[in-house]
Amino acid sequence: MLIQPPLSLYIHFPWCVRKCPYCDFNSHETNAIPETEYINALLNDFHQDASLWQGRELKSIFMGGGTPSLFSAKAIDELLKQLRQNIDFAPDIEITLEANPGTFEQEKFAGYHAAGINRLSVGVQSFNSEHLSTLGRIHTADEASQAMYSLRSAGFNNFNIDIMHGLPNQSIEQALADLQQAITLKPTHLSWYQLTIEPNTIFYSKPPRLPKDEILWQIQETGQDLLAANGYEQYEISAYSQDERQSKHNLNYWRFGDYLALGAGAHGKITDSKKQQIIRYQKTRLPKDYLNSDKVFTASQKTIDCDELNFEFFMNGFRLNQGVSKSDYECLTGLKLEHTNKPIEKAIALGLLQETATAWIPTEQGRLYLNDLLQLFLD
């Protein structure tokens, strides 16, 4: 039987100063953000979805984009105040805002902290000027480093740094220098991941020259050793944290929790324990349509069928080093263990998965070849 899992909230801010050539997120270049109109639309959207949270409190909020830090601290403060008046926040709620490390955003850090943001996720990507230019980033390496000191001065003691590796023409030494610089700044969390070329991006239509596979492999192996030696434990494919500093919001995704969606193009997942079904939904994608009062906020909604549930549960859970709980599988999908016997047996036989009395855990091989492991649940 399905139970209601913990509830999070994702809020999408769809504007940025410049569209990065690797970015496939719903982001749109602009020099003029309709700040007040968008905050009002988010709140109207939230009220229309009031039936979805079913009396639950919010465990986490994540403001992503685009570039949420283009919005003023006053606007973020108003948004959070209105949310607090309508839904309970957990006493230890994690509220994250994505920020770019340019000087303009740094000036707002203290205001964000006062508004209730208690975690920042800073999109640095590289400390190498040449690579920053290739990636279309608008900040400098010095600004990236200075941002970490600024956010600490503003009161933040919990923050993530995003760093990419496998960049065009990047050497092993350059990739590790980026990672070492990030470690030196002592974030509580690091998202360290390989650049991938996604459809509908500039890099997809004009592919850059990426490092060879053997270089990528050396970067990954050496970088993981460097992170571990400096106290950053890998708990997910690309997520590393100091003790007890894992991202609560992302953990809720990977553990198949529920999340409300606000903002242009945002995706949500909600469990309806009364109807014993799980739905996914997406908000209207284009900002101009989302702001149009004649249009509805929700663009699509569907109930997830059994086969999709099976795959999606493992697609999320197998990203975690600790794997997934068998009891969670039954409670969070409503499926019986027998439903997944065949792919589990195949994965174990191939050395991609190990099984305990209570859990399924990807082996080291399974984590390296996660797509192969997941394919077994589609066959």
Side-chain angles (χ1 to χ4, degrees):
M1 176 177 288
L2 278 174
I3 65 168
Q4 284 186 329
L7 182 66
S8 294
L9 167 62
Y10 175 73
I11 309 174
H12 192 74
F13 295 80
W15 291 287
C16 54
V17 175
R18 181 191 300 168
K19 180 82 170 180
C20 297
Y22 59 86
C23 178
D24 68 336
F25 295 135
N26 183 31
S27 60
H28 307 266
E29 291 187 10
T30 187
N31 293 316
I33 294 171
E35 183 174 88
T36 300
E37 293 83 356
Y38 195 69
I39 295 298
N40 288 339
L42 290 174
L43 292 170
N44 289 335
D45 188 2
F46 180 74
H47 290 304
Q48 288 189 22
D49 282 352
S51 63
L52 297 180
W53 57 82
Q54 304 166 65
R56 286 174 287 178
E57 65 181 12
L58 285 179
K59 299 293 186 182
S60 66
I61 300 173
F62 193 98
M63 302 183 189
T67 310
S69 57
L70 291 177
F71 279 66
S72 69
K74 181 180 178 181
I76 299 299
D77 183 48
E78 180 62 24
L79 175 61
L80 289 174
K81 280 180 178 177
Q82 293 296 323
L83 293 177
R84 283 191 188 94
Q85 291 177 11
N86 290 278
I87 188 170
D88 291 333
F89 284 18
D92 61 346
I93 189 171
E94 174 192 272
I95 307 178
T96 302
L97 181 137
E98 285 186 336
N100 276 351
T103 302
F104 182 67
E105 285 82 7
Q106 288 181 46
E107 295 171 355
K108 303 175 185 173
F109 287 165
Y112 292 144
H113 190 266
I117 303 296
N118 55 26
R119 184 176 182 270
L120 290 178
S121 182
V122 188
V124 174
Q125 313 309 357
S126 175
F127 292 95
N128 181 294
S129 297
E130 180 182 345
H131 294 146
L132 285 172
S133 177
T134 300
L135 294 173
R137 307 299 289 172
I138 61 173
H139 64 269
T140 65
D142 287 342
E143 285 176 331
S145 296
Q146 182 57 45
M148 308 309 150
Y149 299 107
S150 297
L151 64 85
R152 277 203 171 92
S153 298
F156 288 98
N157 60 11
N158 190 14
F159 65 97
N160 169 69
I161 294 178
D162 267 12
I163 294 288
M164 291 197 295
H165 60 87
L167 307 181
N169 301 310
Q170 186 181 50
S171 67
I172 297 172
E173 292 76 17
Q174 289 172 327
L176 296 177
D178 273 350
L179 185 57
Q180 181 60 65
Q181 177 63 19
I183 290 171
T184 300
L185 295 169
K186 298 183 178 179
T188 50
H189 191 283
L190 269 162
S191 297
W192 187 62
Y193 51 95
Q194 183 180 319
L195 170 66
T196 56
I197 306 301
E198 303 290 349
N200 302 315
T201 64
I202 295 173
F203 276 176
Y204 187 79
S205 59
K206 299 177 180 179
R209 183 179 180 181
L210 300 180
K212 295 181 179 179
D213 287 345
E214 54 266 30
I215 292 177
L216 296 174
W217 180 255
Q218 289 183 59
I219 291 172
Q220 185 71 35
E221 279 200 320
T222 310
Q224 286 185 327
D225 290 343
L226 181 61
L227 285 159
N230 284 274
Y232 290 93
E233 180 183 2
Q234 183 184 24
Y235 67 98
E236 186 268 344
I237 288 176
S238 59
Y240 305 77
S241 74
Q242 296 177 347
D243 288 344
E244 306 302 321
R245 292 294 194 165
Q246 298 94 339
S247 166
K248 293 179 183 180
H249 190 84
N250 287 340
L251 276 175
N252 193 43
Y253 282 157
W254 298 322
R255 290 173 175 164
F256 216 54
D258 280 356
Y259 44 96
L260 300 168
L262 297 180
H267 292 253
K269 168 191 170 282
I270 291 294
T271 301
D272 188 329
S273 57
K274 291 182 180 178
K275 294 183 179 180
Q276 288 291 291
Q277 63 184 22
I278 298 174
I279 64 167
R280 286 200 178 277
Y281 63 99
Q282 181 179 0
K283 296 301 171 70
T284 298
R285 182 177 175 82
L286 293 178
K288 66 179 181 63
D289 293 334
Y290 187 82
L291 290 168
N292 185 343
S293 59
D294 293 330
K295 294 183 178 291
V296 296
F297 290 117
T298 300
S300 63
Q301 178 176 307
K302 66 170 290 187
T303 300
I304 311 176
D305 64 30
C306 291
D307 288 338
E308 287 178 302
L309 276 175
N310 194 50
F311 174 73
E312 288 197 19
F313 179 84
F314 290 111
M315 179 182 67
N316 287 280
F318 282 163
R319 292 182 65 91
L320 295 169
N321 284 17
Q322 67 182 33
V324 296
S325 158
K326 292 180 180 179
S327 61
D328 282 351
Y329 175 78
E330 291 190 307
C331 293
L332 300 180
T333 66
L335 303 173
K336 298 295 184 183
L337 294 180
E338 294 77 20
H339 189 86
T340 196
N341 277 349
K342 288 184 178 179
I344 291 291
E345 290 171 359
K346 287 182 182 178
I348 293 172
L350 291 169
L352 301 175
L353 198 67
Q354 56 184 323
E355 183 175 21
T356 69
T358 60
W360 297 298
I361 306 166
T363 61
E364 183 177 352
Q365 190 83 350
R367 290 196 296 273
L368 287 173
Y369 297 98
L370 182 60
N371 287 339
D372 293 335
L373 172 57
L374 293 176
Q375 185 62 43
L376 298 174
F377 294 85
L378 284 174
D379 292 342

